Amino acid sequence: MSTVHLDPPIKRRVAEPVLAVLAVALMVTVVTEPVTLFETTFDSLWLPITILVSGLLALSVLIGVLTHGIRLGSAVLGSGTRSQPGDTAVSRILASVVLGVFALFSLWWAVATLFVHYLVDTGGVSPSIWALLFGGVLGTLVLLRTAFFQLFPEGPLARLRCRSLK
C-alpha cells in the first residue's frame, strides 16, 4: 500500500500568493477610489472580479487548512506518514486557525455578495465591500504566512532549539 502525501499541489502553492496579491491590490484600489479607473469599463467588471478573487483565495486557504488538519490529526493519532516537518509547530497551528477564520468570513461574504447581486432582487447597500475587505486582509495574512514559513519552515522555536543544542 502506498503512502499518500497531502503536499499542496504546485498549482495551489503558486496560485495562492498570486490571488493574495490580487486581493490586496483590489482592496487598495477600491479603498483609495481612483475615479478615472471606475469611469472606464472596469466599472462593470470590478464586482465579479472582487467576488471571484476573494472567493477563490478563501477556497484555496480553506483547502490548505483542511489538509493541515488532516495531517495534524494523522500525526496525533500516529496513523500513517502524512505529516510534514513543522506540522505540529504552534505557529503553524495558530496560522491555520487564524487563516481559516478569515477564509470562512471572506467566503461567506463572497457567497452573500453573489446571492444579493445575482439571485435576489434587493436594494440597499451592496455587501461586496465586505468580501473585498476580508479578501484583502486574508491576502495580507497569506503573504505574511508565506514569508514567515519560508524563513521558519519548522517554526521559530525549532530554530532556537537548534541554536541551544550547538
Side-chain angles (χ1 to χ4, degrees):
M1 182 178 249
S2 66
T3 58
V4 177
H5 292 283
L6 296 174
D7 295 337
I10 192 79
K11 291 179 184 176
R12 194 171 62 79
R13 279 189 287 171
V14 171
E16 208 169 83
V18 169
L19 285 170
V21 168
L22 283 173
V24 171
L26 280 170
M27 181 183 69
V28 168
T29 301
V30 171
V31 168
T32 58
E33 295 183 33
V35 176
T36 58
L37 182 66
F38 291 118
E39 291 175 352
T40 62
T41 58
F42 188 67
D43 185 30
S44 62
L45 293 176
W46 84 270
L47 181 66
I49 289 172
T50 301
I51 296 168
L52 185 67
V53 168
S54 296
L56 288 176
L57 178 62
L59 280 175
S60 177
V61 169
L62 283 175
I63 289 170
V65 167
L66 288 175
T67 56
H68 179 250
I70 290 171
R71 286 192 318 262
L72 188 63
S74 174
V76 168
L77 296 175
S79 61
T81 58
R82 292 185 181 126
S83 65
Q84 296 175 351
D87 271 348
T88 57
V90 174
S91 57
R92 191 165 301 260
I93 294 169
L94 183 63
S96 286
V97 169
V98 170
L99 285 173
V101 168
F102 274 101
L104 280 173
F105 279 133
S106 182
L107 186 62
W108 167 260
W109 284 110
V111 170
T113 303
L114 281 174
F115 183 73
V116 166
H117 281 282
Y118 298 111
L119 295 177
V120 297
D121 188 23
T122 62
V125 179
S126 169
S128 62
I129 191 70
W130 295 111
L132 178 73
L133 291 176
F134 278 113
V137 170
L138 179 64
T140 303
L141 290 174
V142 165
L143 292 173
L144 288 173
R145 178 199 63 185
T146 303
F148 182 80
F149 288 121
Q150 286 294 322
L151 293 173
F152 307 108
E154 295 182 17
L157 296 178
R159 186 173 277 185
L160 290 174
R161 277 188 231 125
C162 290
R163 286 185 180 172
S164 66
L165 291 176
K166 290 180 181 182

